[in-house]
C-alpha cells in the first residue's frame, strides 16, 4: 500500500527496507535515530555536562518579553487594517493573537550571534511568523485537523469561515515574501535573494508541505517506524525553525561554516520541539496548552510517546537538546546565550 498514490516515490513504511526518503532539505546532515536509547537522566540537561552553558547573567525571561514585544509591534505595523477589510481582519486575527514568537526570536538571535544587528533581521522574522501563522490557520481547517481552538481563542475559520481563512492564509504566505524583499535594509542584494530562496525551500513541496502531506497520509497506517516519524517532523516542524535560524545568520553576515552549524542546531531543536509537543499533547489539558489536547490520539496519529513511550521520548528530547547546543561551541558565549536558553525553553516548555 502506498502512502500517497500508485505513482508516488514514497516507499511503503511497512516494507522490510529502511524508510529513508532523500529530499533536498535534509542534505547529508540527517539526524540519526541510533542515539535514541543512549540517553542520560533528563536532569542532566541543566548540569555542567553541557559543553556550552547559558551565561549566569543572562535574563531569558526579560529577553523573551523584549523580543516578543518588538516582534509584535513590527507585525502590527507590517499588516495593517485596510480594504478589503474582511481578509485583513482575518490575517490580523491570527497573526496578532499572541504566541511565544519562538521562530522570530531564533531569527533575531542568530543574526546577533554572527555579529549582525537585530533590526536587519526583523523583516525576515516577521515574514517567518506570517508563514507560521498561515500554516496554523490551514492546519486547523476542517479538511485538515478540524481544530476549534488556537492560542486560547477560536480558530480562524470558526470566526471568519473556511473560505476567508483559506484566502487569508494564502495572503499571508504571499505577503511574507514581498515584505522580506522590500522591508529588509542594509543588506547586499545577493544575500536578500539567498534568504528568499532559503525561505521558499523551507516551505515548498519538499519542505514543510512534505511533512504535512506525509503526516496526513500516515493517519491510520499501522507499523509506522521512527525514521518515518522523524521525516515528518524534520519537515513539518523543523524546516521552518531551520529557516528562522538560517535567515538570521545569513542576514547577519555569517560565513558558510557558521550558517551550516546553525542549520544543524536548528534541525535539532526543530525535532526537539515536536517531540516535546507530542509529550505535551498526552500529558496536558486543553486549558494548559491553549489548544485542543489529545487530538493526536483521536486522529490515531503516530507520535513519539505512542512508539517509544513518554520516558524514552523525554530521553530523546534531552539528546536533541545536547546535540543542538554542541553546535554553538566556539561562538561568543554571551551572544550564544539566547540560543542556548531558547533550546532549553523548547525542551522544557509547558505549552
Amino acid at each position: 500500500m502506498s502512502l500517497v498514490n500508485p505513482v508516488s516515490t514514497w516507499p511503503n513504511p511497512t516494507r522490510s527496507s529502511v524508510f529513508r526518503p532523500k529530499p533536498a532539505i535534509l542534505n547529508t546532515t540527517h539526524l540519526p535515530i541510533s542515539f535514541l536509547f543512549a540517553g542520560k537522566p533528563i536532569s542532566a540537561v541543566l548540569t555542567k555536562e553541557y559543553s556550552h552553558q547559558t551565561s549566569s547573567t543572562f535574563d531569558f525571561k526579560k529577553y523573551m518579553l523584549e523580543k516578543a514585544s518588538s516582534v509584535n509591534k513590527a507585525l502590527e505595523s507590517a499588516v495593517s487594517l485596510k480594504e478589503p477589510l474582511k481578509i485583513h481582519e482575518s490575517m490580523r486575527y491570527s497573526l496578532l493573537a499572541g504566541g511565544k514568537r519562538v521562530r522570530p526570536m531564533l531569527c533575531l538571535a542568530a543574526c546577533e550571534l554572527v555579529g549582525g544587528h537585530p533590526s536587519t533581521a526583523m523583516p525576515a522574522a516577521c515574514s517567518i511568523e506570517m508563514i507560521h501563522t498561515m500554516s496554523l490557520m490551514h492546519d486547523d481547517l476542517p479538511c485538515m485537523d478540524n481544530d476549534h481552538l488556537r492560542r486560547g481563542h477560536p480558530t480562524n475559520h470558526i470566526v471568519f469561515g473556511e473560505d476567508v481563512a483559506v484566502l487569508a492564509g494564502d495572503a499571508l504566505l504571499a505577503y511574507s515574501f514581498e515584505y522580506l524583499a522590500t522591508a529588509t535594509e542594509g543588506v547586499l542584494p545577493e544575500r536578500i535573494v539567498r534568504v528568499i530562496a532559503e525561505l521558499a525551500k523551507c516551505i515548498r513541496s519538499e519542505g514543510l508541505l512534505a511533512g504535512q502531506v506525509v503526516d496526513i497520509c500516515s493517519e491510520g497506517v499501522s507499523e509506522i517506524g521512527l525514521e518515518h516519524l522523524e521525516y515528518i517532523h524534520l519537515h513539518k516542524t523543523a524546516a521552518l525553525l531551520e529557516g528562522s535560524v538560517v535567515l538570521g545568520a545569513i542576514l547577519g553576515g555569517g560565513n558558510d561554516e557558521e550558517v551550516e552549524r546553525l542549520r544543524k542546531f536548528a534541525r535539532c531543536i526543530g525535532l526537539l520541539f515536536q517531540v516535546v509537543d507530542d509529550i505535551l499533547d498526552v500529558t496536558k489539558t486543553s486549558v494548559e496548552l491553549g489548544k485542543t489536547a489529545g487530538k493526536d490520539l483521536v486522529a490515531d496519529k503516530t507520535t513519539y510517546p505512542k512508539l517509544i513511550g513518554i520516558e524514552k521520548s523525554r530521553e530523546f528530547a534531552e539528546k536533541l537538546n545536547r546535540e543542538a547546543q554542541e553546535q554553538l561551541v566556539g561562538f561568543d558565549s554571551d551572544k550564544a546565550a539566547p540560543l542556548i536558553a531558547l533550546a532549553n525553553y523548547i525542551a522544557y516548555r509547558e505549552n
Side-chain angles (χ1 to χ4, degrees), residues 267-324:
R267 286 178 180 167
C268 287
I269 65 168
L271 190 53
L272 171 64
F273 191 97
Q274 189 58 53
V275 174
V276 173
D277 218 45
D278 284 356
I279 295 170
L280 293 175
D281 188 67
V282 296
T283 60
K284 299 293 182 179
T285 66
S286 296
V287 173
E288 290 172 315
L289 293 177
K291 60 182 180 180
T292 307
K295 64 180 182 179
D296 291 339
L297 290 174
V298 173
D300 194 27
K301 285 188 176 181
T302 300
T303 64
Y304 283 97
K306 182 178 179 180
L307 281 181
I308 61 176
I310 292 177
E311 289 308 312
K312 287 298 183 182
S313 296
R314 286 173 174 156
E315 290 178 16
F316 188 24
E318 177 202 340
K319 266 294 193 181
L320 290 168
N321 195 359
R322 182 184 296 110
E323 181 87 1

Side-chain angles (χ1 to χ4, degrees), residues 98-118:
K100 295 174 280 292
R101 308 305 190 197
V102 169
R103 290 156 190 81
M105 286 185 200
L106 284 168
C107 183
L108 299 174
C111 179
E112 292 181 275
L113 178 64
V114 298
H117 193 277

Side-chain angles (χ1 to χ4, degrees), residues 150-344:
R150 173 68 67 178
R151 291 172 173 168
H153 300 284
T155 47
N156 198 287
H157 70 274
I158 296 297
V159 177
F160 294 94
E162 293 178 43
D163 47 4
V164 174
V166 170
L167 294 172
D170 293 344
L172 282 171
L173 176 60
Y175 184 56
S176 68
F177 286 92
E178 177 189 346
Y179 190 71
L180 174 58
T182 59
T184 304
E185 298 180 348
V187 179
L188 293 174
E190 53 265 34
R191 282 192 178 259
I192 294 178
V193 171
R194 183 179 174 189
V195 298
I196 290 173
E198 282 281 351
L199 187 56
K201 185 174 74 171
C202 286
I203 60 175
R204 63 179 180 173
S205 60
E206 293 175 283
L208 184 153
L209 297 180
Q212 185 70 60
V213 73
V214 177
D215 187 29
I216 291 171
C217 294
S218 298
E219 290 182 15
V221 177
S222 61
E223 299 181 35
I224 289 177
L226 286 171
E227 291 204 34
H228 183 116
L229 187 61
E230 183 184 79
Y231 176 85
I232 291 172
H233 295 319
L234 277 174
H235 291 74
K236 183 178 179 181
T237 303
L240 196 53
L241 287 167
E242 175 185 331
S244 304
V245 173
V246 169
L247 264 61
I250 294 172
L251 291 169
N255 59 43
D256 289 345
E257 189 268 339
E258 291 172 330
V259 169
E260 290 311 307
R261 285 175 61 192
L262 288 171
R263 188 188 299 277
K264 293 176 184 178
F265 165 84
R267 286 178 180 167
C268 287
I269 65 168
L271 190 53
L272 171 64
F273 191 97
Q274 189 58 53
V275 174
V276 173
D277 218 45
D278 284 356
I279 295 170
L280 293 175
D281 188 67
V282 296
T283 60
K284 299 293 182 179
T285 66
S286 296
V287 173
E288 290 172 315
L289 293 177
K291 60 182 180 180
T292 307
K295 64 180 182 179
D296 291 339
L297 290 174
V298 173
D300 194 27
K301 285 188 176 181
T302 300
T303 64
Y304 283 97
K306 182 178 179 180
L307 281 181
I308 61 176
I310 292 177
E311 289 308 312
K312 287 298 183 182
S313 296
R314 286 173 174 156
E315 290 178 16
F316 188 24
E318 177 202 340
K319 266 294 193 181
L320 290 168
N321 195 359
R322 182 184 296 110
E323 181 87 1
Q325 296 193 34
E326 286 174 355
Q327 302 304 318
L328 302 178
V329 175
F331 285 105
D332 179 270
S333 59
D334 289 336
K335 292 181 178 179
L339 289 176
I340 295 171
L342 276 165
N344 284 330

